[in-house]
Amino acid sequence: MAATFRRRLRRGAASTAVAALVLAALTASQSPAGARNTAAKGPEPTPADTPIDGGAAYYTDLPPLNSPVPPRGSNDPRPDGDGIVTGPAQAGIPATVLAAYKKAESEIRAADPGCRLPWQLLAGIGKVESGQARGGAVDAEGTTLQPILGPQLNGRGFARITDTDGGRYDGDRTHDRAVGPMQFIPSTWSQGGPAGTGWGADGNGDGKKDPNNVFDAALAAGTYLCAGGRNLSVQQDLDSAVLGYNHSEEYLRTVLSWFAFYRTGSYEVPDGKGVLPTHRPGANGTRDHANGSTQGRTGHGRGTGDTAGNRPQPGRTKPNGPAKPGGSGGGHTGSHTPGGDHTPGTPQTPGGKPTPTPKPPTKPTTPTSPTALQQVGDQDLTTTAGTDFTTKPQVRAVDAAGKPVAGVPVRFTLPGTTDARFPGGATTAIVTTGKDGLATAPTLHAGDKPGDFTLRATAVGRTAPAVDIKATVKAKPAPKVDLLTRTSDKELTATAGHAFAEDAVEIKATYQGKIAAGVPITATMITDDPDHPVQNDKGPYFKDPQATGDNKDKPLRTLTGLTTDADGLLKLPKIYTDTHPGTFLLRLTTPNGTTLTLKLKIAAPAKTA
């Protein structure tokens, strides 16, 4: 199969009907690529409509005509992409790269289930952008062994983006270059996104956001694709997401071809053993992955064979006027694959029968706009600290006639006053309403902090008023205790004006002979009145560990917030004394009323001669 390595369309250069359709889809889709990036550090700001990869070069290799696995019947239980162990070499994905795609899918599914991101889409983009990190040339942590850099974005054949990172990511202090397995440009990585803080992500949990790491890059790409409340199971959202990655209709077709190919099956290969993209015979169009330069892509730029007449057009089964092998035409040329003619970007099923060419994006019709969000189900959500809410927050989007509205992205946002979280520790989740107008948030987990809070549901990009959902987290019931004992029988003594020994008092809590962990205990210095003991105002005392300034040495004779550890043990803080000698009482009390009273003996200081 002949393959080429061609440059992408420059923004604003296309004058054909295809380019107009692409731009219309971008405008209507509210793609995050259209969001204005933070001003770059260089003399020129990054253009507002700059795609994720800056419009740099990409591989146009297409999947083989034979599918990785035979077509499956409706009764085949295997899920897409799983269970296959053999197939064409192109179906093999390097192990670490494949793990990164699946990990990103899992994390985004938990944080944004309404997006429905399939890992095969990340694999399709990774194939087109970098040949799956150059065949899986990554270390054990997923970082590329050598930099993968795109061409210098100097305006000659590509976007013009002057340096925005001081060469930090791409080693270039004059212009930006796309970086890493998913080919992010530096300004997009560190300054893009709705908050202007970048699309960069930490996918491998090492505390860094590195575009050269396939785990970080895959999670960042997935987050971008899902932005703006997209539902990638909807063709319109899928197209706009991919086009936001690169503003090229041919790029869209190529990515969707690999996406469809991987969905029919794939398998894992060792790192470094993945199939590398190839070049069209006679075209010296290689990407130098050591320094990021592109060399001699003769015949693939504007005005040199890459005209509207030579580019594959929507709905055609063959390119118009294919170029000769080794020539300067812009279409796929060279070898003929058994199974019939194959349009670039069009996946085929076994037997050479072509599947329909992906339709170019068209300007979407404006969906019905919701006028209100309505809470559904329990009006007050309640659970116990440390547990999941049994009822998921749910709202319905309706129009002015009260009818449900589908396809509305709804953002559920937790306030900063609670430690409750969505899966993955997220404080927000975006879910798209279904045909019934319902948007159901992911499972909400209560933290350790009891109290009330309000969860807000907002229709993203719509004028419908937000809905506040009340939630309550109840304190955990205190563990039962039927016995408190001291772990030592040594007499507790001190001299007036001096402190008791460190860790002088250690107690153990049990219930029916078993350890009682996590038991709250209150320690109080009490009077010796057997009928009505109250807090003492003299004798031994604690110090408030949270106090500052003049209050840090202030006597504290009731101490709360003490809890037994996993072994049921508790060591009391240091006990101080004032000038009063005598025998004093310390009482320890649990929430269920179990008590232990200890005697503290304070001797008068020795008289000096």
Side-chain angles (χ1 to χ4, degrees), residues 1 82 109 133 164 176 195 552 588:
M1 173 182 61
D82 293 329
R109 182 192 300 124
T164 64
D176 275 351
K552 66 180 181 179
L588 306 170

Side-chain angles (χ1 to χ4, degrees), residues 78-322:
R78 293 173 296 170
D80 282 347
D82 293 329
I84 180 170
V85 295
T86 60
Q90 292 88 340
I93 301 177
T96 300
V97 178
L98 180 60
Y101 296 151
K102 291 186 174 182
K103 187 174 187 293
E105 177 198 55
S106 177
E107 290 191 21
I108 291 175
R109 182 192 300 124
D112 186 3
C115 175
R116 296 176 173 84
L117 171 74
W119 67 261
Q120 292 92 341
L121 179 59
L122 295 174
I125 292 175
K127 180 69 174 181
V128 171
E129 292 288 352
S130 69
Q132 310 298 18
R134 296 298 295 153
V138 297
D139 62 20
E141 302 301 319
T143 301
T144 57
L145 300 179
Q146 294 182 354
I148 301 177
L149 302 175
Q152 189 181 70
L153 300 175
N154 54 17
R156 293 193 288 270
F158 309 105
R160 174 179 171 82
I161 304 177
T162 54
D163 179 52
T164 64
D165 67 332
R168 175 186 177 187
Y169 295 116
D170 57 11
D172 192 326
R173 293 179 177 270
T174 60
H175 294 84
D176 275 351
R177 299 169 182 256
V179 180
M182 304 303 278
Q183 291 289 278
F184 277 83
I185 56 173
S187 59
T188 304
W189 183 264
S190 60
Q191 302 170 14
T197 56
W199 291 106
D202 178 14
N204 61 353
D206 64 356
K208 297 182 293 184
K209 298 178 181 180
D210 182 3
N212 296 295
N213 182 277
V214 69
F215 287 95
D216 293 359
L219 181 59
T223 301
Y224 165 77
L225 293 169
C226 288
R230 290 193 185 107
N231 177 357
L232 298 180
S233 65
V234 176
Q235 190 65 45
Q236 173 185 310
D237 284 0
L238 175 63
D239 289 351
S240 67
V242 176
L243 285 169
Y245 213 100
N246 182 277
H247 299 182
S248 165
E249 181 252 341
E250 182 181 0
Y251 178 87
L252 172 66
R253 286 201 308 271
T254 307
V255 167
L256 293 185
S257 294
W258 284 104
F259 174 40
F261 178 74
Y262 288 132
R263 282 183 70 87
T264 62
S266 63
Y267 59 96
E268 179 183 300
V269 297
D271 289 343
K273 300 297 183 180
V275 175
L276 295 175
T278 57
H279 319 298
R280 178 172 62 83
N284 189 22
T286 62
R287 176 182 292 195
D288 184 346
H289 290 273
N291 60 28
S293 64
T294 55
Q295 305 172 350
R297 291 184 309 278
T298 304
H300 298 288
R302 290 181 64 226
T304 316
D306 196 13
T307 62
N310 272 345
R311 282 195 302 273
Q313 298 299 316
R316 295 183 181 175
T317 58
K318 289 190 285 187
N320 199 13

Side-chain angles (χ1 to χ4, degrees), residues 11-28:
R11 295 186 317 281
S15 59
T16 64
V18 170
L21 288 171
V22 172
L23 293 177
L26 285 169
T27 302

Side-chain angles (χ1 to χ4, degrees), residues 524-529 531-537 558 585:
T524 306
M525 302 296 177
I526 61 172
T527 60
D528 59 0
D529 185 337
D531 296 323
H532 301 286
V534 295
Q535 177 180 296
N536 213 331
D537 59 358
T558 295
L585 302 179

